Amino acid sequence: MIRIGDQTYALDEPATLAALIGGGVLLLILVLLVVAVRAATRSARMTEPLTRQVGQLGQRVQGLSDGQQQLAGGLTHVSEAQSAAQSHMLQLMEKRLSQVTERMNENLQGSARRTAQSLGDLQQRLQAIDKAQDNITKLSGDVLSLQDILSNKQTRGAFGEIQLHDIVTKALPSDSYALQATLSNGKRADCLIHLPNPPGPICVDSKFPLEAYEALRRATTDAELTEAARFLRTSVRKHIKDISEKYILDGETADGALMFLPSEAVYAELHANFPEVVRDGFAAKVWIVSPTTCMATLNTMRAILKDARMREQAGAIRRELGLLFSDVDRLGTRVENLDRHFNQASKDISDIKISADKAGRRARRLDNFDFEELAPETEPALALQDGTHGTD
């Protein structure tokens, strides 16, 4: 038996036992519901600050996103403006460089045409010289003896110097050679041709010993011919040695010199019957020239001098281009300064127009005696338009 309140229940009855069990289960469910509700309430109170913080954080993130978009837009604008300025400057520079290139190409083309023409003229002259050489070879047997006019060394030397002077003055510019030039060793060269280095200045000697050649011309027997040939060979070799020692100076002149023969007959005789002497001259770097071959050699030297001067002009053109680039750079800077001055002047003119309009309106009102319309309340609006305090 069990007593609940005023009721007494028997535990051995099934109905009674089921009722007790159902009431206990119901009571347990109610207790669990109450506990769950209280726990949910406490959880809601604990998560409410976190929810507010999350909301504030979301607002800040949104603000940062908006600021980032504005910054990106500003950077894009600055980048576009900079790209436009650079593009304009590059176009200006390309235009100027194109103009300079065109002018330089025109100058170089003109120089190339002149050089080609000079080479063509030189080739024509060499052909004429070859023809003249053929004629001289044919007429070499008819060349008159030089004994009468070359009777002594002084006269012979003067004759050779006069011939050399005439040839040099016709073939070379006046500032490219010096007659009777004194070297550092005290020796005086008949002519010093100022070639660029390399090869450097080259000396020309015109004092050739003709006694041996005259003896060879006068020889009638084999013994006389042999002795005259030996004498000529010895004299020419000694003269080659003297020229090499006197007129080839290391660091001052070229590594070779010219031996001028005033007679084509002597030149032909040496090359025809004394080739070993000519080879000795080549070994000593003393080149034997006649009036005809000397003219051809000097014309070649003239082409070398012209080419060197053209290279000097090319260097001057490069220097002028450098100066031109500097001028273009300064021009760009000054254009920017001028643009700023124009902008300031435009603003000043705009302010002047606003003040003039204001003064004109006042003058029209005074002219119409509209003193009542000159109300003080219009002053601030006009002052805001022209940026003044109404005292213009």
Side-chain angles (χ1 to χ4, degrees):
M1 302 292 289
I2 185 172
R3 185 180 180 84
I4 299 175
D6 296 335
Q7 300 294 328
T8 300
Y9 300 95
L11 295 176
D12 55 352
E13 295 180 0
T16 303
L17 184 58
L20 288 175
I21 292 172
V25 171
L26 181 60
L27 180 61
L28 181 59
I29 292 173
L30 291 174
V31 171
L32 291 174
L33 288 175
V34 171
V35 172
V37 170
R38 288 181 179 178
T41 303
R42 285 196 301 270
S43 299
R45 292 195 193 99
M46 293 175 65
T47 58
E48 182 177 357
L50 182 59
T51 303
R52 287 197 301 271
Q53 292 179 1
V54 170
Q56 293 175 0
L57 182 60
Q59 293 177 358
R60 291 182 181 178
V61 170
Q62 183 63 32
L64 289 175
S65 177
D66 295 340
Q68 185 177 5
Q69 291 179 357
Q70 293 177 359
L71 179 61
L75 291 176
T76 302
H77 178 70
V78 172
S79 177
E80 292 176 354
Q82 186 177 4
S83 298
Q86 291 179 353
S87 177
H88 178 69
M89 182 58 69
L90 288 175
Q91 291 177 358
L92 180 61
M93 291 296 295
E94 289 177 355
K95 182 178 179 181
R96 294 299 176 88
L97 288 175
S98 177
Q99 294 176 355
V100 172
T101 303
E102 290 179 358
R103 292 180 182 177
M104 186 171 65
N105 288 335
E106 290 177 358
N107 293 333
L108 292 177
Q109 289 176 359
S111 299
R113 287 195 298 268
R114 290 191 293 270
T115 302
Q117 184 178 1
S118 299
L119 292 176
D121 295 341
L122 177 61
Q123 185 177 5
Q124 292 177 359
R125 290 183 180 182
L126 289 175
Q127 292 176 356
I129 290 171
D130 290 338
K131 294 179 180 179
Q133 181 66 34
D134 294 338
N135 294 330
I136 291 172
T137 302
K138 294 177 181 179
L139 297 175
S140 60
D142 299 333
V143 176
L144 298 176
S145 175
L146 298 175
Q147 185 175 3
D148 295 337
I149 59 176
L150 302 177
S151 58
N152 56 63
K153 293 183 178 180
Q154 185 176 2
T155 306
R156 184 169 60 247
F159 177 74
E161 291 175 4
I162 292 172
Q163 269 196 314
L164 180 63
H165 178 269
D166 291 340
I167 294 172
V168 170
T169 53
K170 292 178 181 178
L172 296 178
S174 59
D175 59 346
S176 62
Y177 65 89
L179 298 175
Q180 300 300 319
T182 303
L183 304 179
S184 61
N185 58 1
K187 303 300 180 180
R188 180 176 294 179
D190 295 327
C191 180
L192 180 65
I193 301 173
H194 303 295
L195 292 178
N197 194 12
I202 186 169
C203 298
V204 184
D205 182 84
S206 62
K207 296 180 286 292
F208 180 77
L210 290 178
E211 294 88 349
Y213 176 72
E214 293 297 329
L216 184 65
R217 292 290 302 273
R218 291 193 300 267
T220 56
T221 64
D222 293 340
E224 291 178 352
L225 286 174
T226 303
E227 182 63 23
R230 184 189 62 79
F231 181 40
L232 178 62
R233 190 177 295 107
T234 302
S235 300
V236 174
R237 284 175 174 169
K238 182 180 182 303
H239 193 56
I240 290 174
K241 181 180 178 182
D242 292 340
I243 292 175
S244 176
E245 293 176 352
K246 293 179 180 179
Y247 304 133
I248 300 179
L249 303 179
D250 188 18
E252 182 178 355
T253 66
D255 59 351
L258 297 180
M259 183 173 67
F260 176 72
L261 301 181
S263 173
E264 296 290 346
V266 179
Y267 181 82
E269 181 69 27
L270 289 177
H271 282 76
N273 299 320
F274 300 90
E276 69 281 2
V277 175
V278 178
R279 287 194 296 269
D280 291 341
F282 290 157
K285 295 185 178 180
V286 176
W287 296 286
I288 303 173
V289 293
S290 66
T292 303
T293 56
C294 183
M295 177 64 74
T297 303
L298 294 179
N299 276 299
T300 304
M301 293 181 181
R302 180 175 183 176
I304 294 173
L305 291 170
K306 188 173 182 179
D307 183 68
R309 292 181 180 179
M310 287 179 62
R311 286 197 299 270
E312 292 177 358
Q313 293 298 324
I317 291 173
R318 285 195 296 270
R319 289 193 297 272
E320 290 297 328
L321 284 176
L323 296 175
L324 180 60
F325 291 153
S326 300
D327 292 339
V328 170
D329 189 16
R330 285 195 297 270
L331 179 61
T333 303
R334 292 173 181 175
V335 167
E336 292 179 357
N337 295 333
L338 183 60
D339 183 60
R340 286 197 297 271
H341 291 319
F342 275 140
N343 291 334
Q344 184 63 37
S346 177
K347 182 177 179 301
D348 294 340
I349 291 173
S350 178
D351 293 341
I352 291 171
K353 287 183 178 179
I354 293 173
S355 299
D357 292 340
K358 178 180 175 181
R361 287 194 297 270
R362 288 183 179 275
R364 285 193 298 271
R365 289 172 182 172
L366 290 175
D367 185 60
N368 296 328
F369 297 98
D370 295 336
F371 299 106
E372 295 180 356
E373 294 183 5
L374 299 175
E377 57 271 13
T378 61
E379 294 295 329
L382 294 174
L384 289 175
Q385 290 179 1
D386 59 5
T388 60
H389 297 284
T391 60
D392 291 346

